Amino acid sequence: MPFGLLKKTIPGTSGAKVVFTSQPVFFVRGSNHLVSVNRVVAKPAKFLDVLNNLVSGPTPLEMTRGLRSDVPANTVFISAQIIQGTGFVNLAKPLAGSNTVAAVGQIVWTAQALCAVDGVEIFVGDIAHKVTLPGGATSVIATPGNY
């Protein structure tokens, strides 16, 4: 085993450590029911890192419990930040797939768990993008109350 491999510090630093935290992300079960599961991420949890867990999808064990991600596996989050309670998510291209309403719900509730309590605005290539909400209405901001 290489020297220092088991140390709890980052190689090449003066003893810097990585600290992890548990962060909720939301997947879908059945007919658009959002379900929270925890993911381990570096602390402090960065919005972009947490969102990428939606693209990775549920674990095999979670899939046996009927969980899925309606955020397509080819989704690219360019940036994500939370400013004064609102999440701003910039995608490389619009969400596609059979259930974009649930995909947006996953993003909104995952953002809410990181304190984006006022909702999420989705951009595509830095241009505000209207999303379809449950019931068919469209909006440039989706809130937890919409789901």
Side-chain angles (χ1 to χ4, degrees):
M1 183 164 302
F3 177 73
L5 186 61
L6 297 178
K7 289 185 178 180
K8 295 184 179 183
T9 58
I10 301 171
T13 67
S14 298
K17 295 182 179 184
V18 177
V19 180
F20 295 95
T21 188
S22 181
Q23 183 62 45
V25 297
F26 285 79
F27 292 119
V28 183
R29 178 185 291 140
S31 180
N32 299 337
H33 179 73
L34 295 171
V35 177
S36 172
V37 298
N38 287 321
R39 288 289 180 269
V40 175
V41 295
K43 186 177 184 178
K46 292 182 175 75
F47 191 20
L48 187 60
D49 295 338
V50 175
L51 286 177
N52 281 320
N53 279 279
L54 299 177
V55 176
S56 299
T59 66
L61 179 62
E62 291 164 345
M63 285 189 272
T64 66
R65 294 180 20 222
L67 297 182
R68 69 180 189 278
S69 181
D70 284 339
V71 175
N74 65 349
T75 299
V76 176
F77 293 102
I78 296 172
S79 63
Q81 58 185 333
I82 298 172
I83 301 172
Q84 297 181 348
T86 301
F88 298 90
V89 175
N90 191 16
L91 300 170
K93 61 182 181 178
L95 290 170
S98 61
N99 200 350
T100 58
V101 173
V104 171
Q106 287 182 255
I107 293 168
V108 167
W109 274 93
T110 298
Q112 189 270 344
L114 281 165
C115 298
V117 295
D118 296 326
V120 173
E121 291 187 42
I122 294 183
F123 295 79
V124 176
D126 293 324
I127 298 170
H129 182 74
K130 284 188 175 184
V131 295
T132 303
L133 304 172
T138 59
S139 178
V140 293
I141 188 162
T143 68
N146 294 130
Y147 297 86

